[in-house]
Amino acid sequence: MRRPWRELLDLSSFSLPDSYADAMSRLRRNLSYFRVNYALVMLIIVFLSLIYHPVSMIVFLAVFVAWFFLYFSRDEPIVFFNRTLDDRVVLVALSLITVIALVLTHVGLNVLVSLIIGVVVVGLHAVFRVTQDLFLDEQEVAEGGLLSVVSGDQPMRPTTYTRG
């Protein structure tokens, strides 16, 4: 669910984290809460890096149509072969398709630099944006948001590797 941009950019909601643990907690919570907004910010940064590459921009716009219909504008989960796809799976799949499509148009360095810039921008925002005023709805809490992917809070599964 996309959050209001006014909420994302509220300057009164920024402060320095008290500790490394606080910074990581903010990062996890904000990545979960503003996931759709952050994806859009990353796509805009990639788009801006393609201004001088018209073929790549056309490819990007075609891929962005897929982003729009499969991620940004849908209200119901995607069902593929009678299986419901998690929002994070769609996000990762579309991200990979976007990067691969753009690398195939020979703008790999542009894409890499724009992704690095995007990760830095999103990461800094997520660390400095306070989380006390953010409330996840019941479904997001049940799904764990991005917390299950980003955090190491889940116990490690035992491995049964034996050397043969």
Side-chain angles (χ1 to χ4, degrees):
M1 164 191 285
R2 187 177 64 82
R3 307 297 178 178
W5 290 101
R6 186 173 294 135
E7 184 178 5
L8 180 83
L9 300 172
D10 181 15
L11 294 178
S12 66
S13 296
F14 288 90
S15 71
L16 289 173
D18 296 329
S19 64
Y20 176 76
D22 184 33
M24 291 300 103
S25 173
R26 287 183 184 189
L27 181 71
R28 286 189 302 269
R29 179 96 186 252
N30 283 327
L31 283 176
S32 177
Y33 190 78
F34 293 115
R35 178 176 40 214
V36 175
N37 298 77
Y38 287 154
L40 196 55
V41 167
M42 294 285 288
L43 287 171
I44 290 169
I45 291 171
V46 170
F47 178 77
L48 291 175
S49 75
L50 300 174
I51 287 178
Y52 297 110
H53 303 278
V55 172
S56 298
M57 192 173 282
I58 291 168
V59 169
F60 177 83
L61 290 173
V63 172
F64 186 78
V65 170
W67 274 93
F68 181 76
F69 287 111
L70 296 175
Y71 193 72
F72 293 121
S73 68
R74 65 183 171 79
D75 293 328
E76 297 177 14
I78 295 175
V79 177
F80 190 68
F81 291 117
N82 292 329
R83 299 189 111 182
T84 301
L85 293 179
D86 185 58
D87 210 25
R88 293 169 289 199
V89 172
V90 175
L91 177 67
V92 169
L94 285 171
S95 298
L96 288 174
I97 290 169
T98 303
V99 169
I100 291 169
L102 290 176
V103 168
L104 291 176
T105 63
H106 307 293
V107 289
L109 184 61
N110 282 37
V111 171
L112 178 65
V113 170
S114 64
L115 288 175
I116 290 170
I117 291 169
V119 166
V120 169
V121 167
V122 166
L124 287 173
H125 181 276
V127 166
F128 290 110
R129 172 73 166 75
V130 295
T131 59
Q132 285 81 14
D133 61 339
L134 306 181
F135 300 100
L136 297 175
D137 64 21
E138 290 177 20
Q139 180 180 357
E140 290 171 323
V141 171
E143 293 174 356
L146 267 186
L147 299 179
S148 60
V149 174
V150 177
S151 72
D153 295 342
Q154 295 180 346
M156 299 284 287
R157 292 186 211 156
T159 59
T160 57
Y161 174 77
T162 57
R163 200 167 178 178

